[in-house]
């Protein structure tokens, strides 16, 4: 089988791949210069939809409605767009071997592709309970969520098991979002997670207590401080019971697991320098190997704002890092330069009628402000203070203008007033500091 050459090859077909392709097209691309090799069978799409609107009981999102780049307000790139731009979409194809010395990529089907420059955008994959040695963790009725095919399987399970009992294992992003959407589908839901509160990597105890209370009011049962240690199945091999480490047992028709993700470093592992679980890159997403760039979940990059290096798993960074890498590639070709990547960490989530956004770093002392009861429309937030400066900001129920003010605050890191002042002024402090709109809290 002969080798096919492309000037640029994007390995991976997720969010980053789609945004990178658009940037290549915007900056000048000849037909046949770019290929995207993706193990998924569809063109790049906005992955966050899978744990939200894709699972709605009514008005559910479906492709082609959420192909990139609609998630950031851009044009929706249908498969025909790639054809029109002369970009080859090589779908349903996984790269299983890379040789950076010879600049070749080999697929599971044995096809070999040569590249001039490659962009590693392989993203992450879910961690399975079987990775921890949990018995019977691969039984029928146990679901994970990362790609369209997994979302389709979960949709089918929900449709065929009306009024089912569901157990969500995990209390992070996926766990919280999936618990909410399962309730919307009229399932009886129990959440199980090991920590003393949900979303421990971001939420304080105060913030978490609000969301836990809100979920309980929606009918979700929460079991904390333990983990799934095994499963019991029926005669058909379908899960019917979740066994917990503390000895309790939970009936279950459906189990959804969200216990974290890990970056997909194969097939480049061992050939590129690594740091903090990802491929080490510079401020332009160049690895230590010429003509190999890495973006999104797999990249450990310099976070200028905090003089640190980090690996960030979030769609916002996937989009922005892909764009920046392509700009760097094209600038280098032209003998020009661009500024280094200067990222402000940003996370968000939506579930039920709730919507929160976080900017910056959640380190230091936290100050929580606003009303967070469940009887009225909740609107509350928090600031994080380190070394006398505000380094992070969180807001539930914010308007676009208010969220913009918090982002600016977290980026500029102003000197923090007293804790009493922040408690008294709350959101007004960010609005007045940034002169963005009238106070609303």
């Amino acid at each position: 089988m002969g080798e096919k050459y492309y000037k640029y090859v994007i390995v991976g077909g997720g969010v980053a791949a789609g945004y990178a392709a658009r940037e290549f097209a915007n900056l000048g691309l000849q037909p046949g210069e770019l290929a995207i090799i993706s193990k998924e069978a569809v063109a790049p799409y906005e992955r966050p939809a899978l744990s939200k609107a894709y699972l709605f009981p009514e008005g559910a999102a479906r492709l082609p409605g959420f192909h990139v780049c609609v998630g950031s307000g851009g044009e929706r790139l249908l498969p025909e767009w790639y054809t029109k731009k002369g970009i080859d979409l090589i779908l349903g194809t996984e790269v299983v071997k890379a040789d950076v010395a010879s600049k070749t990529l080999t697929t599971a089907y044995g096809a070999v592709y040569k590249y001039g420059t490659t962009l590693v955008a392989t993203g992450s994959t879910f961690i399975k309970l079987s990775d921890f040695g949990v018995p019977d963790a691969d039984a029928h009725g146990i679901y994970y969520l990362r790609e369209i095919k997994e979302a389709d399987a979960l949709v089918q399970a929900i449709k065929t098991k009306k009024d089912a009992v569901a157990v969500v294992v995990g209390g992070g992003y996926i766990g919280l979002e999936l618990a909410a959407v399962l309730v919307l589908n009229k399932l009886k839901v129990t959440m199980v997670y090991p920590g003393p509160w949900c979303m421990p990597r971001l939420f304080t105890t105060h913030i978490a207590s609000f969301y836990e209370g809100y979920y309980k009011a929606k009918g979700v049962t929460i079991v904390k401080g333990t983990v799934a240690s095994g499963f019991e199945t029926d005669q058909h091999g379908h899960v019917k019971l979740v066994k917990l480490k503390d000895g309790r047992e939970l009936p279950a028709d459906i189990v959804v697991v969200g216990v974290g993700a890990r970056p997909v470093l194969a097939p480049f592992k061992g050939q590129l320098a690594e740091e903090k679980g990802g491929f080490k890159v510079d401020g332009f997403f160049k690895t230590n190997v010429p003509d190999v760039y890495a973006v999104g979940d797999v990249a450990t990059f310099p976070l200028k704002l905090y003089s640190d290096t980090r690996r960030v798993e979030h769609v916002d960074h996937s989009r922005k890092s892909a764009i920046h890498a392509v700009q760097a590639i094209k600038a280098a070709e032209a003998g020009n330069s661009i500024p280094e990547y200067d990222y402000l960490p940003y996370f968000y989530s939506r579930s039920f009628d709730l919507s929160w956004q976080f900017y910056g770093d959640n380190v230091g002392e936290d100050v929580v402000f606003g009303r967070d009861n469940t009887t009225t429309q909740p609107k509350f937030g928090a600031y994080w203070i380190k070394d006398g400066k505000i380094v992070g900001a969180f807001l539930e129920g914010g308007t676009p203008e208010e969220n913009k003010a918090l982002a600016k605050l977290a980026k500029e890191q102003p000197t923090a007033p007293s804790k009493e002042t922040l408690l008294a002024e709350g959101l007004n402090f960010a609005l007045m500091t940034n002169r963005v709109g009238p106070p609303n809290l």
Side-chain angles (χ1 to χ4, degrees):
M1 187 179 293
E3 298 176 348
K4 184 170 178 59
Y5 172 82
Y6 290 95
K7 185 176 182 179
Y8 313 107
V9 176
I10 301 171
V11 181
V15 171
Y19 280 78
R22 183 184 66 171
E23 194 65 13
F24 270 121
N26 288 343
L27 296 180
L29 187 69
Q30 295 301 312
E33 285 188 335
L34 172 63
I36 296 174
I37 306 178
S38 173
K39 70 183 183 70
E40 291 200 67
V42 295
Y45 57 88
E46 302 284 1
R47 201 173 301 281
L50 297 185
S51 60
K52 302 178 182 70
Y54 200 85
L55 302 177
F56 283 178
E58 297 179 1
R62 289 291 182 270
L63 291 177
F66 59 98
H67 280 298
V68 298
C69 300
V70 295
S72 60
E75 176 188 3
R76 184 176 60 198
L77 308 185
L78 301 175
E80 304 89 79
W81 178 89
Y82 298 89
T83 302
K84 181 179 179 181
K85 297 295 182 180
I87 299 170
D88 285 354
L89 277 178
I90 305 171
L91 303 177
T93 303
E94 184 176 8
V95 173
V96 295
K97 179 184 178 182
D99 186 329
V100 298
S102 62
K103 291 189 169 184
T104 58
L105 304 165
T106 304
T107 72
Y109 301 119
V112 179
Y113 298 92
K114 288 188 70 70
Y115 63 83
T117 298
T118 189
L119 192 67
V120 184
T122 44
S124 293
T125 188
F126 48 72
I127 295 173
K128 301 183 72 173
L129 291 178
S130 55
D131 296 338
F132 302 111
V134 177
D136 299 314
D138 293 321
H140 297 305
I142 300 177
Y143 300 90
Y144 297 82
L145 184 62
R146 182 70 187 178
E147 300 178 0
I148 286 276
K149 62 182 180 181
E150 288 123 14
D152 285 340
L154 184 54
V155 168
Q156 186 61 30
I158 292 170
K159 286 181 178 179
T160 56
K161 291 185 176 294
K162 294 294 185 182
D163 302 316
V165 175
V167 174
V168 176
V169 179
Y173 265 108
I174 293 297
L176 287 167
E177 292 184 351
L178 289 179
V181 80
L182 290 173
V183 168
L184 295 179
N185 279 278
K186 302 188 185 309
L187 274 66
K188 183 179 179 181
V189 180
T190 297
M191 292 185 71
V192 178
Y193 45 89
W197 64 83
C198 63
M199 282 284 285
R201 288 197 296 176
L202 176 60
F203 289 173
T204 67
T205 55
H206 188 107
I207 293 173
S209 67
F210 161 75
Y211 290 99
E212 290 174 350
Y214 195 98
Y215 274 58
K216 289 176 182 177
K218 292 289 186 178
V220 178
T221 300
I222 295 178
V223 178
K224 297 187 282 188
T226 190
V227 296
S229 60
F231 300 91
E232 187 175 317
T233 60
D234 61 19
Q235 66 270 29
H236 304 294
H238 194 285
V239 66
K240 68 175 184 179
L241 202 67
V242 181
K243 299 178 180 179
L244 303 183
K245 190 174 182 179
D246 64 7
R248 281 180 282 183
E249 296 181 338
L250 304 174
D253 302 303
I254 294 173
V255 176
V256 186
V257 182
V259 293
R262 62 167 58 96
V264 179
L265 304 185
F268 293 87
K269 190 171 181 63
Q271 302 181 76
L272 307 177
E274 295 181 29
E275 183 178 342
K276 296 181 179 178
F279 293 130
K280 183 179 180 180
V281 299
D282 64 11
F284 308 100
F285 294 97
K286 292 189 294 184
T287 69
N288 63 310
V289 175
D291 303 319
V292 179
Y293 292 70
V295 297
D297 293 2
V298 300
T300 300
F301 63 97
L303 191 53
K304 290 179 62 176
L305 190 60
Y306 307 123
S307 300
D308 192 11
T309 57
R310 295 190 189 176
R311 191 179 65 81
V312 175
E313 294 178 3
H314 194 265
V315 66
D316 180 65
H317 167 64
S318 291
R319 294 165 178 156
K320 292 175 178 175
S321 62
I323 292 169
H324 199 87
V326 174
Q327 290 174 349
I329 291 168
K330 300 297 283 187
E333 290 175 352
N336 299 323
S337 62
I338 63 171
E340 291 186 327
Y341 191 59
D342 189 9
Y343 185 64
L344 173 68
Y346 164 58
F347 302 94
Y348 71 90
S349 185
R350 296 186 296 272
S351 57
F352 293 120
D353 295 323
L354 304 174
S355 176
W356 60 259
Q357 296 192 15
F358 169 82
Y359 301 90
D361 215 6
N362 61 329
V363 294
E365 182 181 12
D366 61 275
V367 178
V368 180
F369 60 84
R371 61 179 187 272
D372 60 356
N373 61 77
T374 57
T375 57
T376 60
Q377 183 177 359
K379 192 179 188 74
F380 69 98
Y383 298 116
W384 279 262
I385 305 167
K386 182 183 180 184
D387 298 331
K389 295 181 178 181
I390 295 179
V391 297
F394 170 95
L395 186 62
E396 165 64 48
T399 66
E401 294 75 19
E402 290 164 349
N403 289 324
K404 183 179 179 180
L406 262 66
K408 186 176 180 183
L409 195 76
K411 182 75 171 179
E412 295 180 351
Q413 299 183 26
T415 299
S418 68
K419 182 176 180 179
E420 290 73 23
T421 298
L422 282 178
L423 284 170
E425 294 188 1
L427 181 58
N428 285 338
F429 177 78
L431 294 171
M432 294 179 68
T433 299
N434 293 284
R435 298 182 175 86
V436 179
N440 196 31
L441 182 65

